[in-house]
Amino acid sequence: MTAIATAQSAEAPAGEAPAAKRLPGYLPVWAFILAEMLLFAVLFASYAFARVDNVEMFNLCQQTLDRNAGAINTVLLVTGSWFVVLAVQAARRDDRRAASRDIGLGFLCGAGFLAIKVFEYAAKFGAGITFSTNTFYRFYFSLTFFHFMHVILGMVVLAILWVKTRQGAYGSHDAHGLESGAAYWHMVDLLWIVLFPLVYVMR
Amino acid sequence: MSAFFLNPANRGWLVLVVATGATWWLGEVGAAGTGAILAMLAIVFIKGRLVILEFMELRGAPLMWRLLLEGWLILVGGLILLAYGISLK
């Protein structure tokens, strides 16, 4: 996975001509992002279709979820995503200080997300609800925990980008590595944008 | 303050936060059924497209990549709509 941040040397940037249409970052990273998204698409659809046979149970159990925590976590992820956009913009104008600061702020948003999620899980376990309680909770725990792991992975990527940005690896000359890591972090955000309404709100 | 709105990323962030509030509110008022599902999927589409086009910067990418990611959004939304449509019958 560190390939996201260190792939500079491995692959040619996707599209160099500034006037032409250009995919930011490295092609293999985008292929990886697409594979992850397809996997989540299958999981989202599995949830929606499993619900068809258990509508009442799903609606009942959904009421026990902490919607406030889910919404605050959405705000944290979109804000974390926004900070990383600002970091890429700063790197392109060679403002290394602003770039590393914004990556750091994005990382903190991710940490806030994880903290809230841990409290949410603790509250569920405290109420005696676990993975094996029923189909709804099996989906709730597996979907959110799988996403949780992706937030951690995204934060590892951000940590590497932070170090490399401070070392001056990215600037107006080359920001492909930073763009690649940023795209992965935005994917983590994008997945939660679907997951939150689907599991916490739609009924 | 108006300088804040000159950056598309800042405007995008504001829309994302407001849209998140809208989804939360639909949950608070207990919105359910076809209209609620359609409204929430519309919000997902607006937010998702914003992240794809503005944050991931695919607006300026080759069309294939735009179609792949926007297509993912439509595919996921469509499957959810189909499943919920069946369950409402």
Side-chain angles (χ1 to χ4, degrees):
Chain A
M1 248 335 292
T2 52
I4 280 180
T6 55
Q8 285 96 322
S9 52
E11 294 287 337
E16 277 289 26
K21 295 257 180 199
R22 175 183 167 274
L23 181 69
Y26 298 103
L27 196 59
V29 174
W30 280 101
F32 180 68
I33 286 173
L34 217 57
E36 295 259 63
M37 286 172 70
L38 282 177
L39 187 56
F40 269 95
V42 172
L43 294 175
F44 293 153
S46 304
Y47 170 91
F49 284 99
R51 182 182 171 278
V52 172
D53 298 323
N54 306 282
V55 176
E56 281 184 12
M57 185 259 276
F58 269 56
N59 284 353
L60 202 68
C61 295
Q62 188 185 58
Q63 292 291 82
T64 67
L65 298 188
D66 191 339
R67 224 168 23 235
N68 294 338
I72 292 167
N73 264 347
T74 312
V75 171
L76 279 170
L77 282 192
V78 300
T79 304
S81 232
W82 173 54
F83 278 129
V84 170
V85 173
L86 296 181
V88 172
Q89 290 179 354
R92 283 178 187 151
R93 56 172 193 269
D94 293 309
D95 188 346
R96 207 184 297 173
R97 273 187 61 175
S100 59
R101 178 201 64 207
D102 290 338
I103 293 170
L105 289 169
F107 183 91
L108 287 179
C109 288
F113 179 98
L114 295 184
I116 287 177
K117 212 93 208 77
V118 166
F119 277 111
E120 221 184 301
Y121 287 147
K124 288 283 162 289
F125 293 142
I129 295 166
T130 65
F131 180 83
S132 48
T133 300
N134 63 29
T135 313
F136 176 83
Y137 290 114
R138 193 143 49 241
F139 271 107
Y140 163 73
F141 281 113
S142 45
L143 272 171
T144 59
F145 189 71
F146 193 48
H147 180 269
F148 187 93
M149 299 304 289
H150 283 75
V151 176
I152 293 176
L153 191 55
M155 287 171 68
V156 170
V157 171
L158 289 185
I160 295 166
L161 292 176
W162 183 78
V163 171
K164 296 199 64 142
T165 301
R166 286 172 67 90
Q167 289 169 347
Y170 313 117
S172 51
H173 62 288
D174 174 18
H176 300 297
L178 179 59
E179 288 168 349
S180 302
Y184 187 81
W185 186 241
H186 298 319
M187 178 206 75
V188 172
D189 180 21
L190 181 60
L191 294 173
W192 186 260
I193 282 174
V194 179
L195 204 163
F196 168 60
L198 179 64
V199 178
Y200 288 70
V201 194
M202 282 185 194
R203 50 195 293 107
Chain B
M1 194 57 202
S2 65
F4 179 86
F5 291 101
L6 288 179
N7 189 340
N10 298 351
R11 296 198 298 268
W13 171 75
L14 207 60
V15 172
L16 288 171
V17 171
V18 172
T20 302
T23 302
W24 172 83
W25 180 79
L26 285 169
E28 286 302 293
V29 298
T34 314
I37 304 296
L38 285 173
M40 285 174 218
L41 285 177
I43 294 171
V44 167
F45 188 70
I46 291 166
K47 291 171 80 176
R49 232 173 143 249
L50 228 160
V51 170
I52 291 167
L53 297 182
E54 300 296 335
F55 284 12
M56 290 176 158
E57 296 184 283
L58 289 190
R59 191 185 290 284
L63 190 63
M64 183 193 85
W65 286 96
R66 259 190 79 157
L67 292 180
L68 278 172
L69 272 89
E70 289 187 82
W72 177 85
L73 206 52
I74 292 166
L75 174 75
V76 168
L79 287 172
I80 293 170
L81 190 62
L82 179 67
Y84 276 71
I86 295 169
S87 75
L88 285 168
K89 290 251 164 69

